[in-house]
Amino acid sequence: MNGAGGVLTAVLGGPGTGATAVIALPRGATPPVTTPREAAREAARRELSKRMYHEHDPGLVQRGLNAFWDWVGRLFGAASSATPGGTLGLVVIVLAAVAIATALWWRLGTPRRTPSSSAALFDDRPRNAAEHRAAAEAHAAQGHWNQAVQERMRAVVRSLEERALLDPRPGRTADEAAAEASRSLPAHTDRLRAAARDFDDITYGGRTGDAHAYQRLTELDRDLERTRPDLANAPGADRDTGHGGRQGAAS
């Protein structure tokens, strides 16, 4: 017994029991309730899992964003440590990559799908060259460059058919028309092929037409009208001469 009237007590639990030892108690006091360690941990876990403790926790989306930005931070940290010059060197490399990508996009334009096959140049409604030209001009006046280019190309081909430089043929493609017209108009071979390529890219390849493409076609249309064709290579020339033999026999 000490001077304060307290009583020394024995340890209530031995080693490994997890119980709390009581060193001294005032006279007449009741020993406190002791709880084993595992039971106390489980009780604390249940208490902290209550909703009242988590009302201000970040939501699922916010936690996902936090995890993403943490990952980005670790990624850039690892990259900067491996890059000559550290963070400054990494920033220079990223800026150089962006500059190269921008230059390529400006030079090559938006990637477009190459048409797998060419469809017919004309639709089912027959129109003469003048009507196609008028439709092209109307579309161009409204800034509808895709339709303007298409109608101007149809005007070019229909005009060649009306001049008997191309045989009228349903289902002809722009590429076929350019190849056949080049036989009687060899000076315009490259421009005819370029016009057919523009038509196919705009009509079937997802490319957007513009005023420059329409202007090129308009100038080609006008130049072809003023060009004297090489009739020896025009379609039907062999039939007109009878391959050389029948004409002589008939005369």
Side-chain angles (χ1 to χ4, degrees), residues 70-163:
D70 288 343
W71 174 79
V72 171
R74 292 193 301 270
L75 180 64
F76 272 86
S80 62
S81 63
T83 302
T87 303
L88 179 60
L90 178 62
V91 171
V92 171
I93 292 175
V94 171
L95 292 178
V98 171
I100 293 173
T102 302
L104 289 175
W105 178 83
W106 180 82
R107 178 67 181 83
L108 302 178
T110 304
R112 57 180 182 267
R113 179 179 57 87
T114 301
S116 57
S117 59
S118 297
L121 180 65
F122 295 99
D123 53 24
D124 295 333
R125 182 178 57 175
R127 288 187 289 181
N128 58 35
E131 290 173 326
H132 284 297
R133 290 189 183 105
E137 291 295 331
H139 286 304
Q142 299 178 37
H144 301 162
W145 299 116
N146 282 13
Q147 296 88 336
V149 169
Q150 292 166 341
E151 287 299 324
R152 200 75 196 201
M153 183 63 186
R154 292 176 179 128
V156 168
V157 176
R158 187 68 80 198
S159 175
L160 295 176
E161 291 178 348
E162 291 171 356
R163 295 169 62 191

Side-chain angles (χ1 to χ4, degrees), residues 16-240:
T17 63
T20 303
V22 179
I23 303 303
L25 289 174
R27 183 184 297 275
T30 304
V33 177
T34 59
T35 305
R37 183 179 295 118
E38 291 299 326
R41 183 182 294 112
E42 183 61 29
R45 185 182 297 112
R46 287 196 302 270
E47 177 66 20
L48 294 176
S49 66
K50 292 181 180 179
R51 183 179 182 84
M52 59 182 295
Y53 296 107
H54 302 281
E55 291 179 351
H56 301 291
D57 288 354
L60 180 61
V61 174
Q62 185 61 44
R63 292 199 300 272
L65 288 174
N66 291 341
F68 171 75
W69 289 117
D70 288 343
W71 174 79
V72 171
R74 292 193 301 270
L75 180 64
F76 272 86
S80 62
S81 63
T83 302
T87 303
L88 179 60
L90 178 62
V91 171
V92 171
I93 292 175
V94 171
L95 292 178
V98 171
I100 293 173
T102 302
L104 289 175
W105 178 83
W106 180 82
R107 178 67 181 83
L108 302 178
T110 304
R112 57 180 182 267
R113 179 179 57 87
T114 301
S116 57
S117 59
S118 297
L121 180 65
F122 295 99
D123 53 24
D124 295 333
R125 182 178 57 175
R127 288 187 289 181
N128 58 35
E131 290 173 326
H132 284 297
R133 290 189 183 105
E137 291 295 331
H139 286 304
Q142 299 178 37
H144 301 162
W145 299 116
N146 282 13
Q147 296 88 336
V149 169
Q150 292 166 341
E151 287 299 324
R152 200 75 196 201
M153 183 63 186
R154 292 176 179 128
V156 168
V157 176
R158 187 68 80 198
S159 175
L160 295 176
E161 291 178 348
E162 291 171 356
R163 295 169 62 191
L165 300 181
L166 287 179
D167 291 331
R169 188 174 76 243
R172 173 186 277 122
T173 67
D175 290 331
E176 292 171 344
E180 294 169 15
S182 297
R183 294 169 54 190
S184 55
L185 299 163
H188 299 287
T189 297
D190 292 339
R191 296 173 68 191
L192 285 165
R193 290 175 178 171
R197 186 164 54 250
D198 285 342
F199 178 88
D200 286 342
D201 287 347
I202 290 171
T203 306
Y204 314 111
R207 174 183 154 194
T208 301
D210 53 32
H212 296 295
Y214 179 72
Q215 184 64 29
R216 288 194 301 269
L217 259 174
T218 302
E219 293 174 356
L220 174 63
D221 188 16
R222 294 169 180 168
D223 290 345
L224 291 177
E225 285 194 302
R226 295 192 294 264
T227 301
R228 182 186 299 274
D230 181 0
L231 297 179
N233 293 320
D238 291 341
R239 292 194 301 271
D240 294 339

Side-chain angles (χ1 to χ4, degrees), residues 234-251:
D238 291 341
R239 292 194 301 271
D240 294 339
T241 60
H243 294 282
R246 287 194 296 271
Q247 183 182 17
S251 58

